[in-house]
């Protein structure tokens, strides 16, 4: 049912979200492609108005002042009698289809409404902008993602550091992107340089196990060094005696012999 501009907006707000807002030529063309052809007025109200004759045309939904280079029909807007501050969109055939015309707000046209895709939770850190059958988030500086939910990984500056006095126990802290790493002193390792390296044994540090006593009723033979690390000693029993336990022991890195000592028992 045709109605004046104020009634049309009230209808849109009560049934949908508001009167349609057009943000670019692509949206304008899409909108026109969805509307039926009308060979004569009444056409459709759209949500752009001029609040004062010296002010720009402004969209009611987002206060945008977008007007396309070819939005207006020929010789429009003409502000006939200085009272044409509302706008209709032509949907007739021919070159004026999809063009705009300024019109008196009390003229009767069909309302052209839209249903918002945006809501309060659409964008976490940004502004929601309606698009054709969808929405997009315009993120605040420093945020990204389809919902502006992810902080951007920005390069570090002198005002933003990860290192502090306790970052590395035995090393130097080096900044990386949103993180840090420890450059350890010689002899230390670990993510915080907290662990001493397990260095291989050298001639300057020799592990030596204590001498082993010869077993009663038996004998002892050692190999591989002067009772040092990895040396091996083998026990044996005299004729008529049986060895009880492992016949072989090894000098371990801790400086003790492996396992209990065997004994020789009478057979």
């Amino acid at each position: 049912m045709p109605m004046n501009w104020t009634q049309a907006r009230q209808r849109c707000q009560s049934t949908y979200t508001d009167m349609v807002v057009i943000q670019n030529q692509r949206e304008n063309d899409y909108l026109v492609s969805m509307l039926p052809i009308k060979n004569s007025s009444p056409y459709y109200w759209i949500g752009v108005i001029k609040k004062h004759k010296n002010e720009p045309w402004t969209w009611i939904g987002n206060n945008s002042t977008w007007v396309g280079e070819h939005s207006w029909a020929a010789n429009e807007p003409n502000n006939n009698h200085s009272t044409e501050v509302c706008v209709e969109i032509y949907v007739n055939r021919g070159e004026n289809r999809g063009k705009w015309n300024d019109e008196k707000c009390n003229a009767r046209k069909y309302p052209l409404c839209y249903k918002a895709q945006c809501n309060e939770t659409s964008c976490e850190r940004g502004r929601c902008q309606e698009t054709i059958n969808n929405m997009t988030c315009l993120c605040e500086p420093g945020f990204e993602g389809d919902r502006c939910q992810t902080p951007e990984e920005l390069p570090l500056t002198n005002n933003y550091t990860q290192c502090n006095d306790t970052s590395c126990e035995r090393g130097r802290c080096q900044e990386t992107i949103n993180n840090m790493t420890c450059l350890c002193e010689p002899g230390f390792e670990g993510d915080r340089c907290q662990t001493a390296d397990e260095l291989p044994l050298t001639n300057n540090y020799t592990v030596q196990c204590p001498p082993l006593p010869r077993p009663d009723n038996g004998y002892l033979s050692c190999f591989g060094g002067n009772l040092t690390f990895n040396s091996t000693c083998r026990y044996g029993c005299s004729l008529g005696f049986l060895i009880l336990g492992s016949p072989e022991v090894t000098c371990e890195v801790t400086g003790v012999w492996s396992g209990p000592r065997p004994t020789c028992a009478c057979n």
Side-chain angles (χ1 to χ4, degrees):
M1 174 188 300
M3 55 192 72
N4 65 40
W5 190 93
T6 300
Q7 292 170 334
R9 188 179 187 194
Q10 290 172 346
R11 171 66 63 84
C12 289
Q13 289 176 321
S14 64
T15 308
Y16 299 94
T17 298
D18 209 333
M19 195 175 290
V20 71
V21 173
I22 301 172
Q23 301 174 105
N24 51 58
Q25 190 61 45
R26 177 169 169 265
E27 290 186 6
N28 191 90
D29 295 344
Y30 175 83
L31 186 64
V32 173
S33 72
M34 301 297 291
L35 295 173
I37 294 174
K38 291 181 175 292
N39 293 321
S40 61
S41 186
Y43 297 118
Y44 291 92
W45 288 123
I46 57 177
V48 60
I49 60 173
K50 184 186 281 283
K51 297 178 181 179
H52 188 275
K53 66 178 181 179
N54 294 325
E55 293 183 358
W57 294 96
T58 303
W59 293 93
I60 55 174
N62 60 6
N63 291 322
S64 166
T65 56
W66 178 82
V67 174
E69 184 179 352
H70 305 292
S71 297
W72 296 104
N75 301 317
E76 302 293 347
N78 60 13
N79 193 19
N80 189 23
H81 302 297
S82 299
T83 58
E84 295 183 344
V85 295
C86 293
V87 179
E88 65 176 334
I89 186 170
Y90 290 144
V91 289
N92 56 342
R93 298 181 187 274
E95 62 181 14
N96 276 337
R97 180 172 173 81
K99 302 293 186 179
W100 305 349
N101 170 53
D102 58 336
E103 178 65 285
K104 298 179 180 66
C105 296
N106 61 1
R108 301 179 69 81
K109 314 286 180 182
Y110 291 99
L112 194 54
C113 311
Y114 81 99
K115 182 71 173 177
Q117 302 291 322
C118 292
N119 58 53
E120 293 180 354
T121 61
S122 297
C123 306
E124 291 188 15
R125 296 297 297 269
R127 178 172 63 84
C128 185
Q129 178 174 287
E130 299 286 341
T131 58
I132 298 172
N133 291 332
N134 207 339
M135 46 73 66
T136 188
C137 289
L138 306 178
C139 299
E140 298 173 5
F143 289 86
E144 60 186 358
D146 56 351
R147 297 179 57 243
C148 304
Q149 75 277 18
T150 307
E152 291 179 350
E153 291 191 0
L154 301 176
L156 294 170
T157 67
N158 292 334
N159 297 322
Y160 181 69
T161 59
Q162 300 287 329
C163 291
N164 57 53
D165 292 341
T166 61
S167 297
C168 305
E169 291 188 14
R170 295 297 297 268
R172 179 171 62 84
C173 184
Q174 178 174 285
E175 299 285 346
T176 59
I177 296 176
N178 286 341
N179 209 338
M180 46 72 67
T181 188
C182 289
L183 305 178
C184 299
E185 298 174 3
F188 289 87
E189 60 184 359
D191 56 350
R192 297 179 57 243
C193 303
Q194 74 277 19
T195 306
D197 286 341
E198 291 188 3
L199 301 177
L201 297 172
T202 67
N203 292 333
N204 296 325
Y205 180 67
T206 302
V207 173
Q208 187 161 358
C209 290
L212 292 170
R214 186 173 64 84
D216 293 338
N217 303 310
Y219 55 89
L220 177 67
S221 300
C222 294
F223 313 93
N226 188 22
L227 306 182
T228 56
F229 173 58
N230 269 343
S231 295
T232 300
C233 292
R234 177 173 288 276
Y235 289 86
C237 294
S238 301
L239 186 64
F241 290 86
L242 179 67
I243 192 166
L244 299 178
S246 174
E248 188 174 282
V249 293
T250 301
C251 181
E252 297 183 336
V253 70
T254 55
V256 296
W257 293 99
S258 63
R261 311 295 174 266
T263 59
C264 292
C266 184
N267 190 0

